[in-house]
Amino acid sequence: MTAMDRYGYELPLLLAGAFRRIIDELHRRLAEQGHPDLRPAYGFALQAIGADGCTVSDLGRRLGVSKQAATKTTAKLAALGYVDRTPDPADARAVLLTVTPHGRAALTESARIFEELRAEWKKTLGATRLRALEDDLAKLTPSETPTPLIDLPGWFH
Amino acid sequence: MTAMDRYGYELPLLLAGAFRRIIDELHRRLAEQGHPDLRPAYGFALQAIGADGCTVSDLGRRLGVSKQAATKTTAKLAALGYVDRTPDPADARAVLLTVTPHGRAALTESARIFEELRAEWKKTLGATRLRALEDDLAKLTPSETPTPLIDLPGWFH
DNA sequence: ACTATTTCGGCAACCGGGTTGACGATCGAC
DNA sequence: GTCGATCGTCAACCCGGTTGCCGAAATAGT
């Protein structure tokens, strides 16, 4: 019973469309909540720095990018007031990145919006279908990808 | 029964991961089949030009990017031998883009690989689950997005 | 028929997020 | 103490986009 199978090329389109939709919607709502300047890339970085903070090199490793790229991102993050850069007392070479209260606010707001969006999907799809969707996607995205989205922009090698 | 719902932030990660996986795998196999230099962006453009060809401006409109961007892409596509640029006999301003045999080969090969990949997903998920997944994704990506993936790279506004 | 407006394509400059290469400064091991 | 690894940064570049501007050609208006 192969009646009406979709074309293979539709799958990536659907995945990309759904992804874009979530991210766009997230940032639309974040902008409304007082974070209009938090670009997706910054959000990921902020998340990666986390409550405990880390150094620039750490951040680079966590995001799977070079230290140079991490330096650039943190510069912007700092300029926007989302993180503080303080010298590491234990290592004179290192710079400690810590999330500011403003940054923390953005993180909690993000988490809230993500749950909000998932709740909306749940309403449209039903709890069972949504969970099935997540499980199926997980099944097809082996652990292999540590930070699957970070190099999305540059994933055109 | 809300036992063990996933976090809201996992959904976009799963979507992005799955998308990346498909595209990466597509281009890995394309490279094996003699198209190592066909970047994802070029593939989309090639697809957009299509069997009938079009002008540079057309291409820009189809991809949802500026004519300048379309010009740049076609220049690379032409340099790689995937398209021909010929003057339009009916309009001295226009340039006609046509897919070369090499380009046509890449397109058919892409289509084949997409079906191959979908078949693999089908094997892992089962026909029913796969179709459910596609339908659910479609449900959440309203028509609103004409070319959902093209400005993925630049979707950081 | 002759303007006036639109459209076509390309040039130049820039942006955002990446890369590599080189570098001085510091740390840690021996 | 010296030497190799690591820390963060500067500079230059890549890639896919953008806007602004332009001349040349097509089309509309009268």
Side-chain angles (χ1 to χ4, degrees), chain A residues 47-75:
Chain A
Q47 206 89 36
I49 294 171
D52 296 347
C54 65
T55 71
V56 172
S57 286
D58 282 342
L59 179 60
R61 280 186 290 263
R62 292 182 191 182
L63 293 182
V65 303
S66 62
K67 322 185 271 184
Q68 292 90 328
T71 302
K72 284 189 188 178
T73 303
T74 55

PDB file of all heavy atoms in Angstrom, chain A residues 47-75:
ATOM      1  N   GLN A  47      23.142  30.282  26.063  1.00  0.00           N
ATOM      2  CA  GLN A  47      22.775  28.981  26.608  1.00  0.00           C
ATOM      3  C   GLN A  47      24.028  28.164  26.930  1.00  0.00           C
ATOM      4  O   GLN A  47      24.111  27.517  27.970  1.00  0.00           O
ATOM      5  CB  GLN A  47      21.941  28.241  25.561  1.00  0.00           C
ATOM      6  CG  GLN A  47      20.990  27.220  26.126  1.00  0.00           C
ATOM      7  CD  GLN A  47      19.636  27.836  26.472  1.00  0.00           C
ATOM      8  OE1 GLN A  47      19.173  28.712  25.784  1.00  0.00           O
ATOM      9  NE2 GLN A  47      19.044  27.370  27.567  1.00  0.00           N
ATOM     10  N   ALA A  48      24.995  28.222  26.001  1.00  0.00           N
ATOM     11  CA  ALA A  48      26.206  27.422  26.171  1.00  0.00           C
ATOM     12  C   ALA A  48      27.047  27.905  27.340  1.00  0.00           C
ATOM     13  O   ALA A  48      27.696  27.122  28.027  1.00  0.00           O
ATOM     14  CB  ALA A  48      27.025  27.449  24.881  1.00  0.00           C
ATOM     15  N   ILE A  49      27.051  29.202  27.555  1.00  0.00           N
ATOM     16  CA  ILE A  49      27.813  29.733  28.685  1.00  0.00           C
ATOM     17  C   ILE A  49      27.193  29.234  29.989  1.00  0.00           C
ATOM     18  O   ILE A  49      27.894  28.750  30.876  1.00  0.00           O
ATOM     19  CB  ILE A  49      27.829  31.279  28.650  1.00  0.00           C
ATOM     20  CG1 ILE A  49      28.599  31.752  27.421  1.00  0.00           C
ATOM     21  CG2 ILE A  49      28.469  31.835  29.910  1.00  0.00           C
ATOM     22  CD1 ILE A  49      28.504  33.243  27.170  1.00  0.00           C
ATOM     23  N   GLY A  50      25.888  29.354  30.058  1.00  0.00           N
ATOM     24  CA  GLY A  50      25.172  28.766  31.181  1.00  0.00           C
ATOM     25  C   GLY A  50      25.342  29.507  32.485  1.00  0.00           C
ATOM     26  O   GLY A  50      26.094  30.487  32.586  1.00  0.00           O
ATOM     27  N   ALA A  51      24.639  29.035  33.488  1.00  0.00           N
ATOM     28  CA  ALA A  51      24.612  29.706  34.788  1.00  0.00           C
ATOM     29  C   ALA A  51      25.994  29.738  35.436  1.00  0.00           C
ATOM     30  O   ALA A  51      26.342  30.688  36.137  1.00  0.00           O
ATOM     31  CB  ALA A  51      23.615  29.009  35.704  1.00  0.00           C
ATOM     32  N   ASP A  52      26.801  28.721  35.148  1.00  0.00           N
ATOM     33  CA  ASP A  52      28.090  28.630  35.825  1.00  0.00           C
ATOM     34  C   ASP A  52      29.188  29.421  35.131  1.00  0.00           C
ATOM     35  O   ASP A  52      30.263  29.603  35.695  1.00  0.00           O
ATOM     36  CB  ASP A  52      28.522  27.155  35.917  1.00  0.00           C
ATOM     37  CG  ASP A  52      27.559  26.357  36.778  1.00  0.00           C
ATOM     38  OD1 ASP A  52      26.733  26.985  37.469  1.00  0.00           O
ATOM     39  OD2 ASP A  52      27.629  25.112  36.757  1.00  0.00           O
ATOM     40  N   GLY A  53      28.930  29.865  33.917  1.00  0.00           N
ATOM     41  CA  GLY A  53      29.937  30.601  33.176  1.00  0.00           C
ATOM     42  C   GLY A  53      31.041  29.688  32.683  1.00  0.00           C
ATOM     43  O   GLY A  53      31.088  28.498  33.002  1.00  0.00           O
ATOM     44  N   CYS A  54      31.924  30.247  31.884  1.00  0.00           N
ATOM     45  CA  CYS A  54      33.062  29.487  31.366  1.00  0.00           C
ATOM     46  C   CYS A  54      34.034  30.447  30.710  1.00  0.00           C
ATOM     47  O   CYS A  54      33.800  31.649  30.693  1.00  0.00           O
ATOM     48  CB  CYS A  54      32.582  28.442  30.353  1.00  0.00           C
ATOM     49  SG  CYS A  54      31.868  29.158  28.859  1.00  0.00           S
ATOM     50  N   THR A  55      35.107  29.938  30.167  1.00  0.00           N
ATOM     51  CA  THR A  55      36.072  30.784  29.480  1.00  0.00           C
ATOM     52  C   THR A  55      35.749  30.842  27.995  1.00  0.00           C
ATOM     53  O   THR A  55      34.882  30.120  27.517  1.00  0.00           O
ATOM     54  CB  THR A  55      37.500  30.231  29.634  1.00  0.00           C
ATOM     55  OG1 THR A  55      37.605  29.038  28.860  1.00  0.00           O
ATOM     56  CG2 THR A  55      37.816  29.933  31.084  1.00  0.00           C
ATOM     57  N   VAL A  56      36.451  31.681  27.283  1.00  0.00           N
ATOM     58  CA  VAL A  56      36.225  31.820  25.841  1.00  0.00           C
ATOM     59  C   VAL A  56      36.508  30.503  25.130  1.00  0.00           C
ATOM     60  O   VAL A  56      35.724  30.051  24.286  1.00  0.00           O
ATOM     61  CB  VAL A  56      37.114  32.944  25.268  1.00  0.00           C
ATOM     62  CG1 VAL A  56      37.033  32.967  23.759  1.00  0.00           C
ATOM     63  CG2 VAL A  56      36.701  34.291  25.834  1.00  0.00           C
ATOM     64  N   SER A  57      37.618  29.882  25.471  1.00  0.00           N
ATOM     65  CA  SER A  57      37.961  28.612  24.825  1.00  0.00           C
ATOM     66  C   SER A  57      36.899  27.565  25.107  1.00  0.00           C
ATOM     67  O   SER A  57      36.505  26.804  24.211  1.00  0.00           O
ATOM     68  CB  SER A  57      39.313  28.108  25.320  1.00  0.00           C
ATOM     69  OG  SER A  57      40.345  28.880  24.760  1.00  0.00           O
ATOM     70  N   ASP A  58      36.442  27.523  26.362  1.00  0.00           N
ATOM     71  CA  ASP A  58      35.357  26.593  26.703  1.00  0.00           C
ATOM     72  C   ASP A  58      34.176  26.800  25.778  1.00  0.00           C
ATOM     73  O   ASP A  58      33.638  25.853  25.215  1.00  0.00           O
ATOM     74  CB  ASP A  58      34.888  26.841  28.143  1.00  0.00           C
ATOM     75  CG  ASP A  58      35.841  26.248  29.160  1.00  0.00           C
ATOM     76  OD1 ASP A  58      36.653  25.384  28.774  1.00  0.00           O
ATOM     77  OD2 ASP A  58      35.776  26.657  30.334  1.00  0.00           O
ATOM     78  N   LEU A  59      33.795  28.045  25.646  1.00  0.00           N
ATOM     79  CA  LEU A  59      32.626  28.362  24.829  1.00  0.00           C
ATOM     80  C   LEU A  59      32.816  27.856  23.409  1.00  0.00           C
ATOM     81  O   LEU A  59      31.934  27.233  22.835  1.00  0.00           O
ATOM     82  CB  LEU A  59      32.380  29.874  24.818  1.00  0.00           C
ATOM     83  CG  LEU A  59      31.200  30.317  23.967  1.00  0.00           C
ATOM     84  CD1 LEU A  59      29.894  29.706  24.443  1.00  0.00           C
ATOM     85  CD2 LEU A  59      31.098  31.840  23.940  1.00  0.00           C
ATOM     86  N   GLY A  60      34.005  28.128  22.872  1.00  0.00           N
ATOM     87  CA  GLY A  60      34.298  27.650  21.534  1.00  0.00           C
ATOM     88  C   GLY A  60      34.115  26.147  21.432  1.00  0.00           C
ATOM     89  O   GLY A  60      33.483  25.654  20.493  1.00  0.00           O
ATOM     90  N   ARG A  61      34.649  25.439  22.411  1.00  0.00           N
ATOM     91  CA  ARG A  61      34.517  23.985  22.380  1.00  0.00           C
ATOM     92  C   ARG A  61      33.066  23.571  22.477  1.00  0.00           C
ATOM     93  O   ARG A  61      32.605  22.683  21.757  1.00  0.00           O
ATOM     94  CB  ARG A  61      35.352  23.371  23.505  1.00  0.00           C
ATOM     95  CG  ARG A  61      36.836  23.266  23.165  1.00  0.00           C
ATOM     96  CD  ARG A  61      37.603  22.517  24.248  1.00  0.00           C
ATOM     97  NE  ARG A  61      37.686  23.305  25.481  1.00  0.00           N
ATOM     98  CZ  ARG A  61      38.723  24.048  25.820  1.00  0.00           C
ATOM     99  NH1 ARG A  61      39.766  24.111  25.011  1.00  0.00           N
ATOM    100  NH2 ARG A  61      38.736  24.715  26.940  1.00  0.00           N
ATOM    101  N   ARG A  62      32.322  24.224  23.380  1.00  0.00           N
ATOM    102  CA  ARG A  62      30.921  23.835  23.557  1.00  0.00           C
ATOM    103  C   ARG A  62      30.101  24.073  22.302  1.00  0.00           C
ATOM    104  O   ARG A  62      29.173  23.327  22.000  1.00  0.00           O
ATOM    105  CB  ARG A  62      30.300  24.640  24.717  1.00  0.00           C
ATOM    106  CG  ARG A  62      30.887  24.262  26.058  1.00  0.00           C
ATOM    107  CD  ARG A  62      30.222  25.037  27.183  1.00  0.00           C
ATOM    108  NE  ARG A  62      30.956  24.854  28.429  1.00  0.00           N
ATOM    109  CZ  ARG A  62      30.591  25.383  29.587  1.00  0.00           C
ATOM    110  NH1 ARG A  62      29.497  26.132  29.653  1.00  0.00           N
ATOM    111  NH2 ARG A  62      31.300  25.183  30.681  1.00  0.00           N
ATOM    112  N   LEU A  63      30.428  25.123  21.586  1.00  0.00           N
ATOM    113  CA  LEU A  63      29.656  25.435  20.381  1.00  0.00           C
ATOM    114  C   LEU A  63      30.212  24.725  19.154  1.00  0.00           C
ATOM    115  O   LEU A  63      29.615  24.749  18.089  1.00  0.00           O
ATOM    116  CB  LEU A  63      29.656  26.939  20.131  1.00  0.00           C
ATOM    117  CG  LEU A  63      28.931  27.823  21.146  1.00  0.00           C
ATOM    118  CD1 LEU A  63      28.990  29.274  20.727  1.00  0.00           C
ATOM    119  CD2 LEU A  63      27.488  27.374  21.299  1.00  0.00           C
ATOM    120  N   GLY A  64      31.392  24.142  19.324  1.00  0.00           N
ATOM    121  CA  GLY A  64      31.995  23.478  18.193  1.00  0.00           C
ATOM    122  C   GLY A  64      32.546  24.446  17.159  1.00  0.00           C
ATOM    123  O   GLY A  64      32.576  24.155  15.968  1.00  0.00           O
ATOM    124  N   VAL A  65      33.004  25.612  17.626  1.00  0.00           N
ATOM    125  CA  VAL A  65      33.609  26.582  16.705  1.00  0.00           C
ATOM    126  C   VAL A  65      34.985  26.967  17.244  1.00  0.00           C
ATOM    127  O   VAL A  65      35.354  26.595  18.364  1.00  0.00           O
ATOM    128  CB  VAL A  65      32.741  27.848  16.561  1.00  0.00           C
ATOM    129  CG1 VAL A  65      31.341  27.488  16.088  1.00  0.00           C
ATOM    130  CG2 VAL A  65      32.702  28.635  17.848  1.00  0.00           C
ATOM    131  N   SER A  66      35.719  27.744  16.453  1.00  0.00           N
ATOM    132  CA  SER A  66      37.058  28.145  16.854  1.00  0.00           C
ATOM    133  C   SER A  66      37.005  29.151  18.001  1.00  0.00           C
ATOM    134  O   SER A  66      35.987  29.791  18.233  1.00  0.00           O
ATOM    135  CB  SER A  66      37.780  28.776  15.668  1.00  0.00           C
ATOM    136  OG  SER A  66      37.079  29.930  15.251  1.00  0.00           O
ATOM    137  N   LYS A  67      38.117  29.293  18.701  1.00  0.00           N
ATOM    138  CA  LYS A  67      38.167  30.283  19.783  1.00  0.00           C
ATOM    139  C   LYS A  67      37.946  31.679  19.220  1.00  0.00           C
ATOM    140  O   LYS A  67      37.323  32.525  19.868  1.00  0.00           O
ATOM    141  CB  LYS A  67      39.531  30.295  20.484  1.00  0.00           C
ATOM    142  CG  LYS A  67      40.206  28.984  20.694  1.00  0.00           C
ATOM    143  CD  LYS A  67      41.470  29.156  21.514  1.00  0.00           C
ATOM    144  CE  LYS A  67      42.690  29.434  20.654  1.00  0.00           C
ATOM    145  NZ  LYS A  67      43.942  29.503  21.449  1.00  0.00           N
ATOM    146  N   GLN A  68      38.468  31.903  18.020  1.00  0.00           N
ATOM    147  CA  GLN A  68      38.317  33.219  17.408  1.00  0.00           C
ATOM    148  C   GLN A  68      36.849  33.567  17.219  1.00  0.00           C
ATOM    149  O   GLN A  68      36.424  34.681  17.539  1.00  0.00           O
ATOM    150  CB  GLN A  68      39.017  33.259  16.061  1.00  0.00           C
ATOM    151  CG  GLN A  68      40.524  33.161  16.135  1.00  0.00           C
ATOM    152  CD  GLN A  68      41.016  31.732  16.087  1.00  0.00           C
ATOM    153  OE1 GLN A  68      40.342  30.828  16.567  1.00  0.00           O
ATOM    154  NE2 GLN A  68      42.180  31.526  15.528  1.00  0.00           N
ATOM    155  N   ALA A  69      36.105  32.593  16.730  1.00  0.00           N
ATOM    156  CA  ALA A  69      34.674  32.821  16.543  1.00  0.00           C
ATOM    157  C   ALA A  69      34.020  33.083  17.890  1.00  0.00           C
ATOM    158  O   ALA A  69      33.182  33.989  18.029  1.00  0.00           O
ATOM    159  CB  ALA A  69      34.036  31.615  15.862  1.00  0.00           C
ATOM    160  N   ALA A  70      34.424  32.317  18.896  1.00  0.00           N
ATOM    161  CA  ALA A  70      33.864  32.499  20.233  1.00  0.00           C
ATOM    162  C   ALA A  70      34.184  33.899  20.751  1.00  0.00           C
ATOM    163  O   ALA A  70      33.337  34.565  21.351  1.00  0.00           O
ATOM    164  CB  ALA A  70      34.415  31.436  21.180  1.00  0.00           C
ATOM    165  N   THR A  71      35.417  34.344  20.509  1.00  0.00           N
ATOM    166  CA  THR A  71      35.806  35.696  20.927  1.00  0.00           C
ATOM    167  C   THR A  71      34.879  36.738  20.321  1.00  0.00           C
ATOM    168  O   THR A  71      34.365  37.620  21.018  1.00  0.00           O
ATOM    169  CB  THR A  71      37.248  36.006  20.485  1.00  0.00           C
ATOM    170  OG1 THR A  71      38.121  35.037  21.041  1.00  0.00           O
ATOM    171  CG2 THR A  71      37.666  37.395  20.925  1.00  0.00           C
ATOM    172  N   LYS A  72      34.656  36.626  19.015  1.00  0.00           N
ATOM    173  CA  LYS A  72      33.801  37.601  18.340  1.00  0.00           C
ATOM    174  C   LYS A  72      32.405  37.613  18.943  1.00  0.00           C
ATOM    175  O   LYS A  72      31.843  38.667  19.235  1.00  0.00           O
ATOM    176  CB  LYS A  72      33.691  37.262  16.853  1.00  0.00           C
ATOM    177  CG  LYS A  72      34.924  37.616  16.046  1.00  0.00           C
ATOM    178  CD  LYS A  72      34.616  37.436  14.562  1.00  0.00           C
ATOM    179  CE  LYS A  72      35.846  37.570  13.691  1.00  0.00           C
ATOM    180  NZ  LYS A  72      35.532  37.346  12.273  1.00  0.00           N
ATOM    181  N   THR A  73      31.840  36.420  19.123  1.00  0.00           N
ATOM    182  CA  THR A  73      30.485  36.329  19.655  1.00  0.00           C
ATOM    183  C   THR A  73      30.399  36.944  21.050  1.00  0.00           C
ATOM    184  O   THR A  73      29.495  37.724  21.350  1.00  0.00           O
ATOM    185  CB  THR A  73      30.025  34.870  19.700  1.00  0.00           C
ATOM    186  OG1 THR A  73      30.113  34.314  18.391  1.00  0.00           O
ATOM    187  CG2 THR A  73      28.586  34.773  20.190  1.00  0.00           C
ATOM    188  N   THR A  74      31.378  36.608  21.887  1.00  0.00           N
ATOM    189  CA  THR A  74      31.324  37.139  23.251  1.00  0.00           C
ATOM    190  C   THR A  74      31.459  38.656  23.248  1.00  0.00           C
ATOM    191  O   THR A  74      30.852  39.325  24.080  1.00  0.00           O
ATOM    192  CB  THR A  74      32.427  36.544  24.128  1.00  0.00           C
ATOM    193  OG1 THR A  74      33.687  36.765  23.504  1.00  0.00           O
ATOM    194  CG2 THR A  74      32.213  35.062  24.332  1.00  0.00           C
ATOM    195  N   ALA A  75      32.228  39.177  22.313  1.00  0.00           N
ATOM    196  CA  ALA A  75      32.361  40.626  22.236  1.00  0.00           C
ATOM    197  C   ALA A  75      30.993  41.266  22.029  1.00  0.00           C
ATOM    198  O   ALA A  75      30.632  42.251  22.700  1.00  0.00           O
ATOM    199  CB  ALA A  75      33.307  41.003  21.102  1.00  0.00           C
TER     200      ALA A  75
END
